[in-house]
């Protein structure tokens, strides 16, 4: 079977489904109870269903995913690592998608042309590595990874890994799709299993029906408000109940996509008629037929629905009939309010009420239905003589969606009220946005239908307050130009001074005339890999071959300096920002110059500054880290709660390692980042007593003891020596398995892979 093409072959799906009956039976027998849907998919993909660990949140387990997907910003480092393993080709079907490196400036066509110029070296590298190692390559302009995966590769009951935190988007089609760091994908591409903790399972019970102005996005905004940014950590969030069928497949994908914001391993919906419709509309009728045959395996066991509390670690109830449109933000995706309550918040918190930009799209919300609903609002506005009062930008999720919404006139509807259409790419969602309407430091408000709103995320300006809502909410707000107007209830001020009341949006969930594939942009791998040369120019500023990190010296760590103590939120966007830095994602030395530049350090004012303990001077953290490294001074970083929230970028773990960081000691970690640290040989230690965070001072030295006896589940002792001669001893736990400990000893997981291949 050739699984390297532009879509998942039916034979692959057939093979996976063929395992279900026996494996589900084994699962039920071993657990002695009915199964949730997530558990069925996990048993179907277990390395060995007979021996796999069963205890959720405790046991580590090996899984065999069906696919891997990489995007251009993470693929570079992942493939540089894969190349050093010396293997001839990838062991599982893998694709690379060029989406993150396109900067939004003028509009789709010119922006893609510019990206081709500016990034030619990187694209050429990704194209040739893909051709050589058996990887399918989606060229720039073909779309955002998650939308393309949903359209082409995702299938109910499958399992995949993606080097991007929003990979769970494919859960909208019932897949266990996990976002991981590049190094985790390297394991799987190299033929190893994916090793992770057996996830907990949170059930979200949906009753009622979505209707009116309420969109799928509002479901996840509500869930984020309930569970908060760490509530999903270590868990699969599984939606169930009668409300699921009122949501389209792409709407379900929106909900699963943004489950990344609550730290979930992934989110998923059961297979239903809406999934079948979507598969058919995207030319995968045979997969829909197969899924229908196995449908009873592609959902929870009926007993679970009857008594969910017995089977889920937690159950959240949402009645879709009562759900209102929501808006979350600024600065965090769990600061959630119904649109009707935003006015009070604006008054209380003094948020600028005028919207400087409204943005629709991203991998989260750019389906045919999303754009259709936004366009319906636009048509009504046009008919009432309205145009947008804030500039409105649209990013289609894929070339297929773009070509189809263009053909069906939906783009015209949006352009008619003043919207501009950007490339099929991440663009402003990841700081690839050249805006010139404000100066850095200007306080301003934007509304987006994206998924993240950390400070600096969209335009590099920490004073931009980003609020997130559904596409129709964003368009409604672009019409009023203000976040403090409840356009649903109060209407939009019309040209004659009268309020225009807009009807709730309605749109086809799938194009009546079918999808137009547009200029699809897929390149299959080379038949003969020997004919392909992969070039990394010496002296390149964008690509650099990797040198192995040194192995552990065999002794306890002692005399480590405290480079910084992160105060409050420290996401991967704070540790290794994106935007202009995406340029260096294939060059470890160069990208390390952004290390910790967004962090608020408890010991120094501003962002990204640290105190040089040698002379008390304050300097940018990347400079300080580099100087310490040159002077042979090793260091630790102290983290607050949910350290490393957000992206899967492993640069946020490789950079500290490369710059002499040996450990990160935090109150708690986000899942993907903690895994990334372990992969790169950095100790990720959690303070047993979170209060001990207070004990670390700027001029301390830190020892980590007991490393020779490092063992799973066994805490280590951290000794904090203060400058006044006093000391504190604190206990730190870790989540290292035997395998992770081996990585630490070898210097990194990649070093182990190199030794074994
Ligand atoms: C993001 O949304 O933050 C990104 C950019 O897609 C990242 C991946 C990256 O940093 O390259 C993610 O979410 O994993
Ligand atoms: Fe791209 Fe934004 Fe989606 Fe990340 S969240 S994949 S940057 S569109």
């Amino acid at each position: 079977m050739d699984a390297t093409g532009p879509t998942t072959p039916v034979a692959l799906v057939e093979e996976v489904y063929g395992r279900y009956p026996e494996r589900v039976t084994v699962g039920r027998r071993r657990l002695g109870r009915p199964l949730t849907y997530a558990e069925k998919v996990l048993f179907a993909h277990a390395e060995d269903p007979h021996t796999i660990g069963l205890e959720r949140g405790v046991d580590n387990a090996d899984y065999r995913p069906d696919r891997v997907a990489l995007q251009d910003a993470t693929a570079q480092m992942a493939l540089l690592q894969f190349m050093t393993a010396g293997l001839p080709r990838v062991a599982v079907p893998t694709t690379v998608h060029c989406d993150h490196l396109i900067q939004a400036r003028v509009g789709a066509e010119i922006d893609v042309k510019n990206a081709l110029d500016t990034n030619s070296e990187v694209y050429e590298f990704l194209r040739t590595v893909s051709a050589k190692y058996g990887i399918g390559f989606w060229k720039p302009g073909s779309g955002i990874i998650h939308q393309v995966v949903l359209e082409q590769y995702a299938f109910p009951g499958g399992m995949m890994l993606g080097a991007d935190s929003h990979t769970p988007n494919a859960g909208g089609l019932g897949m266990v799709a996990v976002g991981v760091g590049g190094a985790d994908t390297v394991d799987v591409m190299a033929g190893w299993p994916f090793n992770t903790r057996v996830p907990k399972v949170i059930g979200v019970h949906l009753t009622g029906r979505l209707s009116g102005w309420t969109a799928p996005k509002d479901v996840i905004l509500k869930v984020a408000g309930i569970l908060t940014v760490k509530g999903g950590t270590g868990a699969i969030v599984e939606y169930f109940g009668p409300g699921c069928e009122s949501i389209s497949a792409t709407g379900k994908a929106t909900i699963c996509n943004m489950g990344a914001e609550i730290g979930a391993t992934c989110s998923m919906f059961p297979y239903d008629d809406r999934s079948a419709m979507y598969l058919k509309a995207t030319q995968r009728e045979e997969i829909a037929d197969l899924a229908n045959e196995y449908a009873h395996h592609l959902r929870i066991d009926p007993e679970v629905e009857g008594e969910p509390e017995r089977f889920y670690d937690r159950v959240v109830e949402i009645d879709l009939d009562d759900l209102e449109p929501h808006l979350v933000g600024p600065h965090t995706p769990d600061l959630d309010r119904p649109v009707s309550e935003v006015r009070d918040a604006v008054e209380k918190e003094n948020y600028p009420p005028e919207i400087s930009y409204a943005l629709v799209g991203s991998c989260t919300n750019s389906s045919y239905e999303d754009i259709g609903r936004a366009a319906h609002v636009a048509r009504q506005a046009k008919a009432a003589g309205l145009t947008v009062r804030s500039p409105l930008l649209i990013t289609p999720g894929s070339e297929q969606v773009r070509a189809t919404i263009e053909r069906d006139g939906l783009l015209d509807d949006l352009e008619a009220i003043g919207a501009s259409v950007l490339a099929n790419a991440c663009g402003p969602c990841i700081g690839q946005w050249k805006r010139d309407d404000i100066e850095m430091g200007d306080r301003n408000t934007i509304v987006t239908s994206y998924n993240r709103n950390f400070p600096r995320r969209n335009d590099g300006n920490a004073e931009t307050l980003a609020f997130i809502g559904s596409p129709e909410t964003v368009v409604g707000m672009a019409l009023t130009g203000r976040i403090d107007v409840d356009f649903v209830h109060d209407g939009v001020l019309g040209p004659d001074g009268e309020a225009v009341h807009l009807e709730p949006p309605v749109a086809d969930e799938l194009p009546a005339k079918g999808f137009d594939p547009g200029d699809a942009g897929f390149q299959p791998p080379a038949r003969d890999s020997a004919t392909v040369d992969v070039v990394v120019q010496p002296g390149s500023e964008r690509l650099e071959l990797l040198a192995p990190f040194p192995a552990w010296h065999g002794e306890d760590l002692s005399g480590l300096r405290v480079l910084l103590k992160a105060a409050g939120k420290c996401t991967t966007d704070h540790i290794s920002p994106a935007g202009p830095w995406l340029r260096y994602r294939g060059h470890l030395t160069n990208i390390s110059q952004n290390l910790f530049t967004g962090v608020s350090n408890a010991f120094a004012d501003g962002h990204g500054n640290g105190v040089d303990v040698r002379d008390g001077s304050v300097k940018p953290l990347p400079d300080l880290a580099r100087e310490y490294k040159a002077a042979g001074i090793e260091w630790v970083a102290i983290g607050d709660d949910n350290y490393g929230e957000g992206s899967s970028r492993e640069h946020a773990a490789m950079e500290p390692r490369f710059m002499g960081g040996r450990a990160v000691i935090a109150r708690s970690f986000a899942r993907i980042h903690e895994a990334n640290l372990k992969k790169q040989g950095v100790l990720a230690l959690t303070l047993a007593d979170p209060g001990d965070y207070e004990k670390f001072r700027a001029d301390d030295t830190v020892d980590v003891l007991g490393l020779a006896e490092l063992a799973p589940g066994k805490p280590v002792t951290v000794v904090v020596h203060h400058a006044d001669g006093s000391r504190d001893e604190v206990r730190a736990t870790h989540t290292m398995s035997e395998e992770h400990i081996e990585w630490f000893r070898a210097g990194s997981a990649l070093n182990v892979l190199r030794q074994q291949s």
Side-chain angles (χ1 to χ4, degrees):
M1 167 191 17
D2 179 16
T4 59
T7 181
T8 294
V10 181
L12 190 156
V13 181
E14 213 160 13
E15 192 271 312
V16 174
Y17 287 176
R19 285 184 236 142
Y20 265 81
E22 192 211 327
R23 293 206 169 202
V24 166
T25 309
V26 173
R28 287 196 193 116
R29 198 190 56 234
R30 289 194 59 209
L31 285 163
R33 58 166 173 79
L35 301 181
T36 70
Y37 177 33
E39 287 171 328
K40 293 183 188 179
V41 184
L42 291 174
F43 269 104
H45 291 85
E47 168 90 341
D48 180 354
H50 300 281
T51 57
I52 195 157
L54 298 178
E55 205 175 337
R56 292 179 187 166
V58 176
D59 290 335
N60 273 294
D62 283 339
Y63 299 101
R64 292 281 174 186
D66 307 313
R67 305 201 63 92
V68 168
L70 309 168
Q71 41 88 343
D72 52 2
T74 50
Q76 300 171 56
M77 206 46 99
L79 294 171
L80 285 163
Q81 294 177 77
F82 179 78
M83 280 164 65
T84 69
L87 297 164
R89 57 183 287 124
V90 291
V92 298
T94 299
T95 47
V96 165
H97 303 259
C98 295
D99 53 2
H100 281 63
L101 299 180
I102 302 171
Q103 194 183 43
R105 268 181 111 144
V106 199
E109 207 173 314
I110 300 180
D111 291 349
V112 171
K113 268 203 195 98
N114 285 340
L116 286 171
D117 274 357
T118 354
N119 304 313
S120 59
E121 181 187 358
V122 170
Y123 291 147
E124 197 45 22
F125 169 73
L126 294 175
R127 194 184 65 75
T128 50
V129 183
S130 300
K132 192 169 186 74
Y133 294 103
I135 299 171
F137 178 75
W138 289 82
K139 68 180 194 195
S142 57
I144 307 176
I145 175 169
H146 311 302
Q147 189 65 32
V148 175
V149 165
L150 192 72
E151 288 169 3
Q152 310 286 342
Y153 295 115
F155 63 93
M159 178 171 186
M160 69 175 286
L161 295 190
D164 190 282
S165 64
H166 294 106
T167 304
N169 195 65
L173 264 188
M175 206 170 189
V176 166
V178 185
V180 295
D184 273 318
T185 63
V186 172
D187 282 356
V188 174
M189 291 189 285
W192 288 11
F194 168 54
N195 180 276
T196 192
R197 276 270 164 94
V198 176
K200 296 189 179 164
V201 190
I202 296 176
V204 180
H205 187 220
L206 299 182
T207 51
R209 294 189 67 76
L210 269 191
S211 62
W213 281 94
T214 310
K217 182 75 154 206
D218 299 308
V219 177
I220 184 61
L221 298 185
K222 176 81 186 168
V223 170
I226 297 172
L227 290 178
T228 78
V229 290
K230 10 187 278 197
T233 308
I236 293 186
V237 177
E238 183 174 310
Y239 291 81
F240 69 104
C244 295
E245 294 200 19
S246 72
I247 306 175
S248 64
T250 49
K252 292 179 172 109
T254 295
I255 296 171
C256 294
N257 175 304
M258 221 186 138
E261 270 46 71
I262 54 171
T265 301
C266 68
S267 304
M268 61 197 305
F269 275 84
Y271 176 73
D272 63 16
D273 290 350
R274 309 290 280 263
S275 334
M277 274 167 63
Y278 185 74
L279 284 169
K280 286 182 190 154
T282 48
Q283 316 298 324
R284 291 174 290 173
E285 183 136 14
E286 280 179 88
I287 295 185
D289 291 344
L290 264 181
N292 285 338
E293 228 176 276
Y294 287 86
H296 56 295
H297 289 309
L298 303 176
R299 60 173 78 113
I300 46 174
D301 282 337
E303 298 86 335
V304 178
E305 182 136 16
E307 264 181 299
E309 282 77 12
R310 267 188 61 206
F311 304 99
Y312 291 115
D313 293 282
R314 176 168 179 187
V315 178
V316 174
E317 290 285 344
I318 296 191
D319 183 348
L320 299 175
D321 288 334
D322 295 343
L323 191 65
E324 288 182 57
H326 279 239
L327 194 74
V328 300
H331 298 331
T332 184
D334 55 0
L335 183 50
D336 158 60
R337 315 177 172 92
V339 167
S340 55
E341 289 173 20
V342 174
R343 181 177 302 143
D344 291 348
V346 167
E347 267 167 31
K348 217 163 111 217
E349 308 293 339
N350 216 4
Y351 302 137
E354 305 82 22
I355 299 169
S356 61
Y357 261 101
L359 305 105
V360 167
S362 91
C363 62
T364 335
N365 267 116
S366 53
S367 63
Y368 185 80
E369 184 185 35
D370 285 332
I371 305 292
R373 286 170 66 94
H376 181 229
V377 178
R379 279 198 298 280
Q380 297 181 54
K382 172 94 194 310
L386 291 165
T387 53
V388 285
R389 291 192 166 89
S390 318
L392 172 64
L393 303 180
I394 313 283
T395 25
S398 69
E399 171 57 9
Q400 174 157 294
V401 165
R402 191 209 57 76
T404 312
I405 58 180
E406 180 171 55
R407 181 199 66 197
D408 293 351
L410 305 180
L411 282 185
D412 287 346
D413 292 335
L414 289 160
E415 281 170 339
I417 56 160
S420 316
V421 180
L422 303 176
N424 313 321
C426 302
C429 178
I430 188 56
Q432 289 281 57
W433 183 20
K434 183 106 182 45
R435 66 184 289 204
D436 37 29
D437 60 314
I438 53 156
E439 298 287 327
M440 276 298 164
D442 286 355
R443 202 151 182 266
N444 74 105
T445 290
I446 63 173
V447 288
T448 81
S449 74
Y450 302 168
N451 46 28
R452 293 212 159 121
N453 57 356
F454 307 140
R456 293 194 174 81
R457 166 90 180 172
N458 304 110
D459 58 5
N461 178 12
E463 292 302 317
T464 293
L465 310 188
F467 293 83
I468 301 175
S470 70
E472 45 267 57
T473 296
V474 171
V475 175
M477 290 193 160
L479 290 168
T480 65
R482 302 176 67 92
I483 49 168
D484 59 348
V485 176
D486 178 355
F487 67 93
V488 175
H489 297 105
D490 303 343
V492 182
L493 193 64
D496 54 3
E498 292 287 309
V500 176
H501 285 277
L502 302 165
E503 293 294 318
V506 266
D508 287 345
E509 97 184 56
L510 292 161
K513 287 189 254 163
F515 277 109
D516 174 347
D519 172 14
F522 176 78
Q523 176 199 283
R527 288 232 174 79
D528 176 7
S529 64
T531 57
V532 186
D533 283 332
V534 177
V535 184
V536 174
Q537 297 286 358
S540 160
E541 61 153 17
R542 307 237 5 214
L543 296 166
E544 176 185 52
L545 293 173
L546 291 169
F549 292 132
W552 174 53
H553 47 44
E555 279 159 33
D556 284 339
L557 300 177
S558 62
L560 305 176
R561 283 300 183 177
V562 181
L563 184 75
L564 77 151
K565 174 155 110 172
K569 213 187 227 327
C570 183
T571 70
T572 45
D573 281 84
H574 295 82
I575 305 170
S576 173
W581 290 98
L582 289 174
R583 189 172 173 75
Y584 301 116
R585 282 291 185 86
H587 198 296
L588 186 54
T589 307
N590 286 349
I591 197 163
S592 294
Q593 204 46 40
N594 76 356
L595 178 61
F596 293 129
T597 42
V599 175
S600 147
N601 177 5
F603 304 138
D605 288 340
H607 288 278
N609 293 322
V611 183
D612 186 335
V613 284
R614 295 169 301 180
D615 58 9
S617 62
V618 173
K619 40 183 84 147
L621 283 164
D623 295 349
L624 182 57
R626 198 161 17 82
E627 286 177 32
Y628 278 179
K629 180 182 178 186
I633 301 174
E634 295 182 324
W635 49 265
V636 299
I638 310 300
D640 210 324
D641 230 4
N642 209 22
Y643 178 88
E645 172 185 345
S647 149
S648 67
R649 62 193 75 144
E650 61 195 324
H651 306 75
M654 293 178 95
E655 293 175 33
R657 175 74 165 104
F658 177 67
M659 298 281 253
R662 301 309 306 264
V664 179
I665 307 174
R667 281 180 153 143
S668 63
F669 287 93
R671 173 189 61 91
I672 306 181
H673 186 62
E674 182 180 20
N676 286 344
L677 288 169
K678 291 191 283 189
K679 281 263 155 172
Q680 302 301 340
V682 181
L683 288 173
L685 303 175
T686 304
L687 292 166
D689 174 358
D692 284 342
Y693 169 90
E694 304 299 345
K695 299 204 167 123
F696 293 87
R697 303 180 198 159
D699 45 7
D700 291 340
T701 57
V702 174
D703 305 338
V704 184
L705 307 182
L707 295 182
E709 298 84 45
L710 209 53
K714 189 172 163 207
V716 297
T717 303
V718 175
V719 183
V720 192
H721 303 270
H722 305 299
D724 61 9
S726 63
R727 52 178 254 163
D728 278 302
E729 237 180 69
V730 307
R731 230 163 54 95
T733 59
H734 61 81
T735 55
M736 277 187 279
S737 64
E738 293 291 358
E739 191 187 14
H740 302 157
I741 293 169
E742 199 186 332
W743 299 342
F744 170 72
R745 294 204 177 110
S748 72
L750 188 59
N751 289 351
V752 177
L753 180 65
R754 281 192 187 104
Q755 287 155 14
Q756 295 186 358
S757 61

